Amino acid sequence: MRYFIAILIFVIVATVSILGFRQDKFTQTPIWVFPDMDIQARYEPQGKNEFYANQMDDRPIVPGTVQRGYGWEKKQVFSGDYQWDVIDNPSMYSGKKENGDWYEGFPVEVTPALLQSGKEKYDIFCLVCHGDTGDGNGITKKYGMAATPSYHTDVLRSMPEGEIFNTITNGKNLMGAYGMKLNPEERWAVIAYVRALQLAGNATVEDVPQQNRRDLGL
Ligand code: HEC
């Protein structure tokens, strides 16, 4: 054991003295044992580029371009009325009523198109954890994300839409925030789809229109 520790210390000292610490400055090219992704083909700000005539990585922006907002929300970028929209329809952006309680229902019109877009976004951003039926058995469960709850509980069925909006916007415990990836309309669309999943998971024969019952053999 004594030898082992002595050898280990020797090996560590030798390795560090030959290879140095990460971030060390060298006069010659160091030996790169773990290159990770340090070197990769990419454009650097103000970098040199052989492809373009002026040899600059930076491409000039269109004359007169002014960025508005974060640049990811179409309405924010393209609508001159955006700020009034936020003032006129605060719940849409906060998920809260004027008195600070969670908003119940939807500040947007729930249409088949909205549900369809909600399904698309759900499949992209939520399905991996929450599963395609919302039972919490997404693929991440296999890899240890055991905390993902099922939507089919009384707590989540009765949770105000605004509170779900807040969870999507800011995340909650192990669940990350999706506010930067989904604009407010898309978040409400996803919530509508979550409601549809909850309805589907808790439906009875009474919910099936009379004319469709025969198709189901009922
Ligand atoms: C990385 C896995 C993961 C993804 C992706 C994910 N969630 Fe979650 N979600 C969780 C976990 C874990 C919790 C439990 C959080 C807690 O209460 O501790 C949770 C909780 C929730 C809840 C219950 C919130 C509450 O207040 O109890 C809702 C509703 C929800 N998620 C909706 C969504 C929606 C909608 C999306 C997609 C935009 C999404 N989640 C994406 C893991 C995820």
Side-chain angles (χ1 to χ4, degrees):
M1 191 64 192
R2 240 188 19 229
Y3 288 125
F4 173 74
I5 291 173
I7 291 170
L8 183 68
I9 290 172
F10 175 75
V11 168
I12 291 172
V13 171
T15 312
V16 172
S17 52
I18 294 170
L19 299 178
F21 291 114
R22 215 179 155 84
Q23 303 279 319
D24 268 2
K25 297 249 188 310
F26 295 89
T27 47
Q28 283 157 0
T29 312
I31 303 167
W32 223 322
V33 184
F34 301 111
D36 295 332
M37 293 173 77
D38 291 344
I39 302 176
Q40 46 186 305
R42 64 180 177 224
Y43 302 120
E44 301 281 4
Q46 304 186 5
K48 190 171 176 190
N49 191 316
E50 303 299 335
F51 183 76
Y52 296 110
N54 69 358
Q55 302 208 325
M56 285 169 66
D57 276 353
D58 297 289
R59 294 292 85 211
I61 39 181
V62 178
T65 307
V66 180
Q67 159 120 356
R68 283 168 32 119
Y70 292 111
W72 52 271
E73 196 188 327
K74 267 194 234 122
K75 202 159 158 195
Q76 196 173 19
V77 177
F78 295 113
S79 157
D81 300 333
Y82 176 75
Q83 54 183 325
W84 300 116
D85 204 36
V86 176
I87 292 167
D88 291 343
N89 199 0
S91 309
M92 169 90 190
Y93 298 88
S94 65
K96 288 182 182 163
K97 293 194 241 181
E98 253 167 57
N99 65 6
D101 288 349
W102 297 120
Y103 192 84
E104 283 156 303
F106 291 84
V108 287
E109 200 188 338
V110 180
T111 59
L114 186 89
L115 270 175
Q116 186 57 39
S117 110
K119 176 179 165 42
E120 274 165 26
K121 299 297 173 190
Y122 180 90
D123 287 356
I124 294 169
F125 293 107
C126 322
L127 185 139
V128 280
C129 293
H130 287 279
D132 52 4
T133 60
D135 59 3
N137 286 324
I139 190 154
T140 53
K141 185 149 271 184
K142 262 203 229 153
Y143 298 95
M145 174 72 82
T148 312
S150 164
Y151 294 144
H152 308 297
T153 61
D154 286 339
V155 176
L156 288 188
R157 275 194 284 262
S158 57
M159 180 173 279
E161 282 76 7
E163 194 173 349
I164 301 182
F165 182 87
N166 183 61
T167 299
I168 301 177
T169 310
N170 301 310
K172 190 173 185 194
N173 299 325
L174 282 180
M175 174 176 152
Y178 289 86
M180 289 305 281
K181 302 195 174 79
L182 296 167
N183 70 34
E185 278 94 344
E186 290 166 340
R187 276 173 255 163
W188 289 109
V190 169
I191 297 166
Y193 186 65
V194 167
R195 286 293 186 237
L197 289 177
Q198 289 178 323
L199 206 60
N202 193 38
T204 65
V205 178
E206 306 306 316
D207 296 307
V208 182
Q210 200 70 44
Q211 70 267 29
N212 298 117
R213 289 192 194 171
R214 195 144 25 102
D215 301 342
L216 296 172
L218 298 168

